[in-house]
Amino acid sequence: MKRKTWWKELGGWGFSIVLGFVLSMIIGIFIIQPYKVDGHSMEPTLTDNQRIYAWKFTHVLEKLPAYGDIVIIDSRVDRSRTFWDDVKEHPIITWLSGREEDDVFYVKRVIGLPGDTIEVKDGHVIRNGQQLEEPYIKEQMDPSAAQIWHVPENHVFVMGDNRNNSNDSRSIGPVPLDHVMGIDSF
């Protein structure tokens, strides 16, 4: 009799653990996932090592974020993403596998949407001929040679708020929508 109760208790715990794991995976892949800001590229808005939570609906539904949204992107824009990337990058899977998070996820602000022309000239950002008012940036960009990008269909153009210390679309190019992992929910 005692043995039967013990197995029943163990089965109940096992079911609870498996259910918790499955629900965590579903929530992390499809709804919300934590990320950590790595570096100073989003100062003053976000700080180094700050934890943020990204709503994944944008990624799952491949919806277009809005101008000014803070997004988490996969910076490996030269490769395609699959559903299995989302599974392998889930925090529980990375923890169980013992591998460290790669420095491939960037936190940036959406500056351009499909069809936009983005120009950086004299330390200012110009979208479709209009200079942007950007009260969120840390400091004006250092003037450099003028650069122009045309944002293709199903892509966004992103930049960090600390423009002089940011690896963003100016160096990696426009980001495919399927590489936008989510929108920051801070």
Side-chain angles (χ1 to χ4, degrees):
M1 183 84 165
K2 262 187 172 180
R3 193 176 197 137
K4 205 179 228 185
T5 305
W6 186 80
W7 278 105
K8 191 174 187 177
E9 183 76 18
L10 186 62
W13 277 100
F15 176 76
S16 296
I17 290 170
V18 169
L19 180 62
F21 177 78
V22 169
L23 286 175
S24 173
M25 291 296 292
I26 290 170
I27 290 168
I29 292 171
F30 298 108
I31 300 172
I32 192 167
Q33 184 172 340
Y35 288 91
K36 184 173 78 170
V37 177
D38 185 22
H40 303 278
S41 71
M42 282 301 291
E43 289 177 349
T45 308
L46 301 171
T47 59
D48 186 32
N49 291 319
Q50 182 175 345
R51 285 277 177 195
I52 59 175
Y53 295 89
W55 287 107
K56 302 287 286 211
F57 295 119
T58 304
H59 176 65
V60 172
L61 302 175
E62 290 191 21
K63 291 189 77 173
L64 203 57
Y67 292 123
D69 280 348
I70 295 176
V71 295
I72 294 82
I73 63 161
D74 179 346
S75 66
R76 301 168 292 181
V77 297
D78 56 341
R79 71 189 263 298
S80 297
R81 286 192 57 84
T82 67
F83 172 75
W84 294 112
D85 289 322
D86 292 334
V87 172
K88 290 186 295 189
E89 294 159 355
H90 190 283
I92 289 178
I93 299 300
T94 58
W95 178 73
L96 287 173
S97 68
R99 63 181 179 93
E100 290 291 317
E101 261 185 47
D102 296 319
D103 294 332
V104 298
F105 297 109
Y106 295 172
V107 179
K108 302 295 174 193
R109 188 177 299 274
V110 175
I111 301 299
L113 299 175
D116 286 343
T117 298
I118 306 296
E119 182 177 5
V120 173
K121 182 178 178 183
D122 299 325
H124 297 283
V125 177
I126 301 163
R127 179 175 57 221
N128 301 326
Q130 298 285 351
Q131 182 175 319
L132 299 184
E133 293 293 322
E134 301 181 291
Y136 44 78
I137 64 173
K138 183 172 183 176
E139 59 194 8
Q140 186 173 337
M141 280 185 291
D142 293 334
S144 61
Q147 297 175 288
I148 298 176
W149 298 266
H150 299 286
V151 184
E153 183 130 353
N154 296 317
H155 285 69
V156 294
F157 192 91
V158 297
M159 295 176 80
D161 289 356
N162 185 358
R163 301 284 163 80
N164 295 320
N165 185 22
S166 179
N167 190 19
D168 50 38
S169 286
R170 291 173 292 170
S171 56
I172 65 171
V175 178
L177 276 182
D178 68 346
H179 282 59
V180 175
M181 306 310 298
I183 295 177
D184 179 27
S185 62
F186 80 93

